[in-house]
Amino acid sequence: MLVDTAVWAWIGALAMGAGTIPPLRAWVSRSSEADESHAVYYGTLAGVTGIAAIAYLLMALGFGTVSLSAGELDVARYVDWLLTTPLLLFYLGLLARPSRRVLAGLIGVDVVIIAGGIAAAATTGTVSWVAFGVAGAAYVALVYGLLVSLPRSASAEGDRVRAVFGTLRNITVVLWTLYPVVWLLAPTGFGLLTPATEMLVFVYLDVVSKVGFVVVAVAGADALDRLGADSGLDGGDEFIAADSGSEEQTTVLGDD
């Protein structure tokens, strides 16, 4: 065992807390410099790392874990994922602006993935593997949605927006694909990793996929200006319906 799981949890809490600073600072700075504060964008980013920081703090303090016949279930971790992964997808939706149906579908599939992961971790034997299989099938659908449906249903907002969207989308797809691999290697699967190593790897993946996502998004905040005053939910005009019959006006985002 490299170090105790609590140490990795503390590292995760500190990293997530640090990752919450850039969007909050950008939010405050933006509000003082321009009329468009992009509060929804920065609030969403701060929510991702802020919620994760609280979850890791609970795990570091020894809370948020329940003992089941299948083993220890990190409830705080799964609640974190249940809340933060939809926020990450929501941010991608704010950039790409798909129809409500497409974005709701992606978030719904994401919830199925996390719920399947919880069921797989909380059970044993065939039931556990069936739940893992359901979550895996849902993940394939989510990847398809991120790579195909979301870009194709989005409106064109310029090269800069497409570049930021593509980078964030690719970070999400690549890193999220590693989570089920870790699940299989961890005590929840074949038991090839110790609990401490499992925590180490999950902390690393969470930090890169969340803090990394937030840092890249804040660094690409100039793309928000390209979205204009009617962008996202700020103006109350939410998402443009991509399937409104104007197929020729849509542009594939993130494929630059």
Side-chain angles (χ1 to χ4, degrees), residues 3 10 40 58 67 72 97 101 103 110 116 122-123 129 133 150 156 161 177 183 185-187 190 205 208 237 251:
V3 295
W10 278 112
V40 173
L58 290 174
S67 296
E72 299 289 324
R97 298 201 287 178
R101 178 176 58 81
L103 184 59
D110 178 58
T123 56
W129 288 110
L150 185 57
V161 177
T177 301
W183 192 96
L185 298 176
F190 297 114
L205 288 177
V208 177
D237 193 22
T251 298

Side-chain angles (χ1 to χ4, degrees), residues 60-80:
L61 295 174
F63 298 107
T65 301
V66 297
S67 296
L68 303 172
S69 58
E72 299 289 324
L73 180 65
D74 292 321
V75 177
R77 172 182 292 159
Y78 284 104
V79 171
D80 167 9

Side-chain angles (χ1 to χ4, degrees), residues 4-98:
D4 189 80
T5 56
V7 174
W8 294 119
W10 278 112
I11 292 173
L14 292 173
M16 293 299 177
T20 308
I21 296 174
L24 292 178
R25 185 168 57 186
W27 187 354
V28 172
S29 174
R30 182 77 184 187
S31 298
S32 62
E33 295 175 356
D35 294 333
E36 289 291 323
S37 67
H38 300 304
V40 173
Y41 294 85
Y42 292 127
T44 300
L45 295 174
V48 170
T49 47
I51 291 171
I54 294 172
Y56 273 111
L57 179 62
L58 290 174
M59 286 187 277
L61 295 174
F63 298 107
T65 301
V66 297
S67 296
L68 303 172
S69 58
E72 299 289 324
L73 180 65
D74 292 321
V75 177
R77 172 182 292 159
Y78 284 104
V79 171
D80 167 9
W81 291 347
L82 201 57
L83 295 175
T84 57
T85 55
L87 286 178
L88 291 168
L89 294 175
F90 181 70
Y91 190 85
L92 290 175
L94 287 173
L95 285 178
R97 298 201 287 178

Side-chain angles (χ1 to χ4, degrees), residues 124-151:
T124 59
T126 303
V127 175
S128 176
W129 288 110
V130 168
F132 181 82
V134 171
Y139 182 68
V140 172
L142 178 66
V143 170
Y144 178 85
L146 288 172
L147 295 179
V148 180
S149 299
L150 185 57

